[in-house]
Structure formats: C-alpha cells, structure tokens
C-alpha cells in the first residue's frame, strides 16, 4: 500500500513515474498491471494513469490535473482556463489544453480533452496543485485569437466582464 499512497499523492502519473517509485522497469510494469486489475488505477490514455479513490471509487485528480499531465509541456488554456480561474459563464464538458506535441483529442470520465495550437511557453503558470495553466492575460489573448474554443463571441465577452483587473505589462510580454 505504500506505492498506492505515493501514487495518490501524485493523483495522475506516467509509466516513468512508476519506475521511479518502484525502482525498476519490471516492477513498474507488474505494479501497473496489478493495480489496473484491482481497480486502484485507471488508464486515461497510453502512458497516463489516474489513481482511484478507495472511498469514492472515483478518480482523484480533477480534469485540469489530468490535462496538465498529458505531455510534459501541456497546460490548460482558452475557456478551460477561465473555468479554472472562476471567470467562466458556462461550464463545458470540454477541457482545452495546449502542447507542442502532436496529441489526438480523447474522452475520459465524460470529459472531452481537446488539444489546441501551441503558442510558446510564455505566460504559463504552475499552480500548487500540479495544474499548469495559461496566465489570465494569455488566456484573454488566446481566447480573442481563437474565440471558437471559448463558446463564441458572446461567451468571451461575458468572461471578460467577470475579470476584475488585468496587468497591461503582462500583455506586452506576451
């Protein structure tokens, strides 16, 4: 159960994370296979797993934590970033993320994960819960450039009216 506790602290992990925890490739493969069989973990997609809570039997990580672990450089963007910050007017069942890697859209736990165009690594913030997300200023710019990924112009305008203030110097750095 010590391995489960370490995985629960990660919430979402890859095969290489398991190798670091167990100490060897073969032990990692055996542990993943064993935990999948017992229902302690679930496969989200190739080389990405979530830990299942023993109390609720639901995935421990949020959809934002999962999207942040899809690739090493993945981060939440567009309408999903507004949702995370609490400035979204509507709740979507799509999570938009950006990464430099070629990733196909996929579904997990009734949520559709949709990759978006990579616009560089400037303006990305790492939260203390493991979520990588675009800064509020970059989210505004990304949403203006690609407002179809935010639910249209009306949803974008409603999100913008909910934001109390923005840093104009941050806009110039982007």
């Amino acid at each position: 159960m010590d391995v489960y506790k370490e995985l629960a602290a990660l919430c979402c992990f890859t095969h290489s994370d398991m190798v670091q925890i167990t100490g060897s490739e073969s032990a990692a493969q055996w542990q993943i296979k064993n935990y999948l069989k017992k229902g302690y973990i679930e496969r989200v997609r190739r080389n990405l797993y979530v830990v299942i809570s023993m109390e609720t039997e639901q995935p421990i990580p949020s959809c934002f934590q999962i999207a942040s672990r899809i690739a090493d450089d993945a981060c939440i963007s567009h309408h999903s970033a507004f949702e995370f910050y609490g400035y979204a007017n509507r709740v979507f069942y799509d999570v938009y993320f950006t990464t430099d890697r070629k990733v196909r859209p996929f579904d997990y736990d009734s949520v559709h994960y949709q990759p978006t165009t990579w616009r560089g690594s400037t303006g990305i913030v790492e939260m203390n819960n493991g979520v990588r997300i675009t800064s509020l200023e970059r989210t505004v710019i990304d949403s203006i450039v690609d407002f179809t990924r935010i639910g249209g112009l009306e949803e974008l305008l409603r999100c913008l009216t909910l934001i109390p203030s923005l840093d104009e110097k941050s806009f110039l750095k982007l």
Side-chain angles (χ1 to χ4, degrees):
M1 272 305 157
D2 290 336
V3 173
Y4 178 82
K5 287 179 184 176
E6 289 184 53
L7 294 176
L10 290 174
C11 297
C12 195
F13 67 96
T14 63
H15 179 78
S16 60
D17 294 330
M18 183 64 95
V19 170
Q20 286 182 336
I21 292 169
T22 59
S24 74
E25 181 75 30
S26 60
Q29 288 177 345
W30 180 84
Q31 198 74 54
I32 288 173
K33 185 178 177 182
N34 187 30
Y35 277 7
L36 282 169
K37 185 177 168 184
K38 289 182 178 180
Y40 295 164
I41 63 173
E42 282 183 355
R43 180 177 281 119
V44 176
R45 60 190 308 266
R46 185 173 172 239
N47 195 32
L48 184 63
Y49 304 90
V50 294
V51 180
I52 303 299
S53 169
M54 290 188 180
E55 296 170 350
T56 63
E57 297 181 356
Q58 297 295 316
I60 292 175
S62 69
C63 58
F64 303 115
Q65 290 171 315
I66 293 171
S68 295
R69 292 297 309 262
I70 291 170
D72 292 336
D73 62 348
C75 69
I76 309 302
S77 64
H78 295 79
H79 193 272
S80 301
F82 280 131
E83 283 183 46
F84 183 85
Y85 288 125
Y87 298 129
N89 190 47
R90 296 188 326 213
V91 175
F92 287 4
Y93 291 99
D94 294 333
V95 174
Y96 293 102
F97 66 94
T98 181
T99 179
D100 194 25
R101 287 187 35 204
K102 181 104 171 139
V103 178
R104 289 189 185 125
F106 66 94
D107 295 323
Y108 173 72
D109 201 30
S110 302
V111 176
H112 181 72
Y113 293 86
Q114 180 68 43
T116 61
T117 307
W118 177 254
R119 290 189 172 93
S121 60
T122 56
I124 295 176
V125 181
E126 178 105 25
M127 298 296 181
N128 59 359
N129 61 354
V131 173
R132 277 187 306 276
I133 189 166
T134 55
S135 67
L136 196 51
E137 289 78 14
R138 178 169 169 184
T139 301
V140 169
I141 290 173
D142 287 349
S143 298
I144 290 170
V145 168
D146 199 8
F147 68 87
T148 58
R149 300 209 186 268
I150 191 165
L153 184 58
E154 183 179 344
E155 180 68 10
L156 172 61
L157 294 174
R158 286 187 182 176
C159 290
L160 292 176
T161 59
L162 293 172
I163 299 172
S165 66
L166 294 166
D167 181 19
E168 65 273 359
K169 291 178 184 174
S170 295
F171 279 114
L172 296 174
K173 292 177 185 176
L174 299 172

